[in-house]
Amino acid sequence: MTAPRTLVVRLDSAGDVLLAGPAVRAVAAGSSHTALLCGPLGVQAAGLLPGVDEVLVYDAPWVGIEPAPVTNEATRKLLEAVSARHFDRALVLVSYHQSPLPAALLLKLAGVGWTAADSEDYPGALLDLRHHRLPHRHEAEAALDLALAAGFALPPGDDGTLRISPPPDTAHLTGPGPYVVLHPGAAVPARAWSAARAARAAAALAAEGHRVVVTGGRAEKDLTAEVAGNHALDLGGATDLHQLAGVLAGARVAVVGNTGPAHLAAAVGTPVASLFAPVVPAERWGPYGVPHVLLGDQAAPCAGTRARRCPAPGHPCLDGIRDAEVLAAVAALGGRTGLEAGCPAVPGGVPGGVSEMAEKERGGATA
């Protein structure tokens, strides 16, 4: 029997696509061709996932902070692209609070013969497998559960953790020697430290003897410059997603909020000090498959609200985290200072010396 041509749909952000990675690998193990349909924000991440033969892009009007308008042209192009590829099966992956039915309808119109998804809403004829996710399941595990229910299992030897293609060597960006990454930004402001709070954390880490590398996208260059100050190396806007993976892979620890780079760090095996605002539950969205420490008041007034901007004055759930907590989390996760590693820091955050032993002791990055 010929293995099916299968389409996996994950229309959200880069972090969502990375969390879909284990399910994608399961699908790829049982398919002759595996395509991933993602939104514009997920394209770079989709290209890094093992098992993906082809990436299709659709800016879905029911997804995102600023959804695309509904147009006949965009819908027609999607239907033509999916129809031309003659997929036998499709899996629509959604978060626990989302509906897969708009995507399922379009797949049916495009001629996909069999579609599966988690759905609490009655799907009528839109789904051939209506699956119910287990309570309190992490998003990565829920996606794997759906894949298994659809007949796709991980291959032998695959432990189901997050993975990407091997990241590049980024020593030319970071310089030699051990470091801690501080990624202060997030697409949703409620999930990030304020700039002033992040800057104080960078200073505290540097004062403790850590070499700090601050990362961020092109639109975050002002933020990363403020946070890095004179205490850290500023790589804001200097990396694409694959290069950021390389920077994260070389780090002892990543200090980052609930945003895509947290899942990218997990995908390269780097421990995460997770600045987790409880607007969504950590049990579903926390760092997956790597050592991590959860920081932030999980019982704050914003808990469970899915708020994009903090509804509580002073952003207490994250800005209330003490420097001592951050330093303790980094230490617990294996972050050693430059002095401890025999690698004295020099002004401007640029280190002296190289520590191959440091990487070996951490176990290296997995990809």
Side-chain angles (χ1 to χ4, degrees):
M1 181 177 177
T2 303
R5 292 173 56 83
T6 308
L7 175 66
V8 179
V9 179
R10 183 75 232 205
L11 294 170
D12 301 272
S13 65
D16 300 298
V17 170
L18 291 169
L19 290 174
V24 168
R25 299 198 305 271
V27 168
S31 300
S32 60
H33 180 87
T34 303
L36 179 60
L37 174 62
C38 65
L41 296 178
V43 172
Q44 285 193 57
L48 301 182
L49 293 185
V52 175
D53 297 310
E54 182 180 17
V55 177
L56 305 178
V57 185
Y58 175 57
D59 198 355
W62 60 89
V63 172
I65 297 172
E66 297 181 2
V70 178
T71 67
N72 286 333
E73 181 181 8
T75 304
R76 176 182 53 79
K77 286 182 178 179
L78 174 67
L79 295 180
E80 290 175 353
V82 174
S83 179
R85 285 160 174 79
H86 304 289
F87 293 112
D88 302 298
R89 292 190 159 209
L91 273 67
V92 182
L93 304 181
V94 292
S95 300
Y96 72 99
H97 58 274
Q98 295 173 324
S99 172
L101 299 185
L105 173 60
L106 294 180
L107 296 181
K108 286 297 184 185
L109 292 174
V112 177
W114 192 91
T115 301
D118 290 333
S119 183
E120 296 307 313
D121 299 320
Y122 172 64
L126 299 182
L127 294 178
D128 300 277
L129 172 61
R130 177 193 185 188
H131 186 256
H132 294 278
R133 70 168 60 199
L134 295 172
H136 311 295
R137 236 15 196 158
H138 193 282
E139 291 294 312
E141 294 169 339
L144 266 175
D145 291 343
L146 175 63
L148 186 60
F152 299 107
L154 286 167
D158 191 326
D159 62 2
T161 54
L162 306 189
R163 294 183 191 171
I164 60 165
S165 56
D169 183 350
T170 52
H172 64 288
L173 294 173
T174 63
Y179 57 90
V180 170
V181 163
L182 173 58
H183 188 93
V188 177
R191 301 183 191 179
W193 262 336
S194 66
R197 179 65 193 90
R200 291 199 305 273
L205 286 163
E208 188 75 1
H210 295 284
R211 186 164 72 94
V212 182
V213 174
V214 180
T215 57
R218 287 185 183 137
E220 297 173 320
K221 291 175 72 173
D222 289 344
L223 170 64
T224 60
E226 179 179 349
V227 172
N230 296 321
H231 311 290
L233 175 65
D234 179 11
L235 291 185
T239 62
D240 61 19
L241 196 69
H242 205 198
Q243 291 168 321
L244 177 58
V247 173
L248 289 165
R252 289 279 190 189
V253 178
V255 182
V256 56
N258 176 24
T259 187
H263 305 304
L264 191 62
V268 295
T270 297
V272 177
S274 177
L275 311 170
F276 204 98
V279 289
V280 294
E283 67 180 1
R284 299 182 189 273
W285 292 105
Y288 186 72
V290 293
H292 65 275
V293 174
L294 205 66
L295 297 171
D297 181 4
Q298 299 305 296
C302 64
T305 62
R306 301 208 300 269
R308 292 173 176 168
R309 294 194 176 275
C310 182
H315 200 19
C317 69
L318 293 187
D319 279 11
I321 298 169
R322 295 176 292 110
D323 286 342
E325 295 177 78
V326 178
L327 297 174
V330 170
L333 292 167
R336 293 193 301 163
T337 66
L339 293 175
E340 289 172 327
C343 180
V346 299
V350 180
V354 180
S355 179
E356 293 180 0
M357 182 64 71
E359 181 63 22
K360 290 178 182 178
E361 286 175 357
R362 187 170 69 81
T366 57

